[in-house]
Amino acid sequence: MDSTILKADKISKYFHDPVSVQVLKEISFEIHKGEFVSVIGKSGCGKSTLLYILSTMDTDYEGSLWIDGELMRDKKEAELAKVRNEKIGFVFQFHYLLNEFSVLKNVMLPGLKLGARSEKELEHQAYEKLKILGIETEALKNPNQLSGGQKQRVAIARALINDPIIIMADEPTGNLDKKNGETVFGIFQELSSVYQQSLLIVTHDNEFAKRTNRIIEMEDGKIIRM
C-alpha cells in the first residue's frame, strides 16, 4: 500500500507585479504517513508561499500536487475546499480562536462545517482531541480565559477534529515562549509517533527543525538540502 500522503512534483510559482519574478523553482518532494517534516530557510525564501500552494489555497502555480493520491490540478474551488476541510488540518502562528464560543465549540467548528458527523458525535470527538492535548478540563471556558500555550493547543485540537491525513503549520511556535514551544513540539512528536499523523511544519526555529524526522531547507525559492 502506498503510504504517500502528499507529493509535490516540480512546483514553480511566479509573481507578476509589475514584472515577473520566480519565487519557487521546481520544488519536488513527498511526505509519507506518520512523517514529521519541517521546512526551514531565511525569511523570504518561499516557505510560506510553498505552504499556501500545498494547502490548495493558491492554485496559480506550475507543476503537480497530489494529496492522498489525488491530483489537485483543475479541481474547482468547491472541490478544493472539501479537500482542505476533510484532509488537511491547519495550525497557524496565531491561533484564530473565536472568543464568543467555548473552547469545545471552537474545536468542533471545522467538523460542523464538514457536516459528516452529528453534533453529539463531534462533541465527543472534540473532548477526545482535547484529552490527547491535556486540556479537556478547559473545554467549557472561552479562549480569552486561556494562556497563549493553551490557546495553541486548542488550535491543534481543532486542526485534528476531522481526522486529517496531514497537518500543515506555519510558524506554530512563533508566538510562544520556550516552555510552551517545547510543549507544542512534544505534542507534534506524539501525534507523529503514536497516532501516525503526518505533519508539515514551516518554521524559522532550527532547534525545532533538528528534532523532526526530516528537514527540507530552502533558499531563493529552491530546495537546497533535504
Side-chain angles (χ1 to χ4, degrees), residues 62-108:
E62 293 171 6
S64 304
L65 169 65
W66 283 268
I67 293 175
D68 205 13
E70 226 182 319
L71 185 63
M72 295 296 112
R73 166 87 51 221
D74 300 330
K75 281 194 182 294
K76 294 185 174 67
E77 180 44 47
E79 294 173 300
L80 292 175
K82 192 167 185 282
V83 168
R84 282 195 293 274
N85 214 4
E86 279 182 5
K87 301 192 184 249
I88 305 171
F90 294 99
V91 182
F92 303 97
Q93 185 170 353
F94 187 70
H95 50 76
Y96 297 113
L97 300 173
L98 301 172
N99 282 320
E100 62 268 33
F101 295 124
S102 69
V103 160
L104 190 67
K105 191 68 178 260
N106 267 283
V107 173
M108 289 167 67

Side-chain angles (χ1 to χ4, degrees), residues 32-224:
H32 299 277
K33 187 170 174 59
E35 216 179 359
F36 184 1
V37 181
S38 53
V39 181
I40 61 167
K42 290 191 179 77
S43 198
C45 71
K47 304 188 298 287
S48 294
T49 304
L50 176 63
L51 197 66
Y52 221 60
I53 290 169
L54 299 178
S55 67
T56 78
M57 305 259 211
D58 182 354
T59 55
D60 179 21
Y61 59 88
E62 293 171 6
S64 304
L65 169 65
W66 283 268
I67 293 175
D68 205 13
E70 226 182 319
L71 185 63
M72 295 296 112
R73 166 87 51 221
D74 300 330
K75 281 194 182 294
K76 294 185 174 67
E77 180 44 47
E79 294 173 300
L80 292 175
K82 192 167 185 282
V83 168
R84 282 195 293 274
N85 214 4
E86 279 182 5
K87 301 192 184 249
I88 305 171
F90 294 99
V91 182
F92 303 97
Q93 185 170 353
F94 187 70
H95 50 76
Y96 297 113
L97 300 173
L98 301 172
N99 282 320
E100 62 268 33
F101 295 124
S102 69
V103 160
L104 190 67
K105 191 68 178 260
N106 267 283
V107 173
M108 289 167 67
L109 286 173
L112 292 167
K113 190 178 170 198
L114 187 61
R117 301 187 191 121
S118 71
E119 196 158 340
K120 198 97 199 97
E121 281 177 295
L122 272 176
E123 201 168 287
H124 175 71
Q125 278 286 106
Y127 261 114
E128 288 304 304
K129 303 301 183 197
L130 288 168
K131 208 175 275 180
I132 289 169
L133 301 176
I135 43 167
E136 72 277 14
T137 53
E138 316 297 329
L140 301 178
K141 288 184 178 172
N142 278 19
N144 55 8
Q145 295 172 278
L146 306 183
S147 71
Q150 288 174 320
K151 284 176 187 167
Q152 197 58 309
R153 281 195 258 172
V154 175
I156 295 168
R158 179 184 59 192
L160 290 167
I161 192 68
N162 289 336
D163 297 320
I165 61 164
I166 188 165
I167 290 218
M168 296 187 186
D170 195 3
E171 303 287 5
T173 57
N175 271 338
L176 302 176
D177 60 27
K178 196 164 170 46
K179 184 169 174 284
N180 280 310
E182 274 298 310
T183 302
V184 166
F185 179 85
I187 288 164
F188 284 152
Q189 206 167 33
E190 184 183 356
L191 289 172
S192 164
S193 59
V194 179
Y195 299 95
Q196 282 295 289
Q197 179 70 60
S198 305
L199 299 136
L200 179 66
I201 315 290
V202 165
T203 182
H204 65 266
D205 182 346
N206 289 348
E207 289 307 307
F208 181 108
K210 267 181 202 156
R211 294 181 292 158
T212 61
N213 298 150
R214 185 153 55 104
I215 298 174
I216 295 170
E217 188 174 355
M218 290 180 66
E219 192 177 281
D220 298 331
K222 295 197 296 278
I223 291 176
I224 57 164

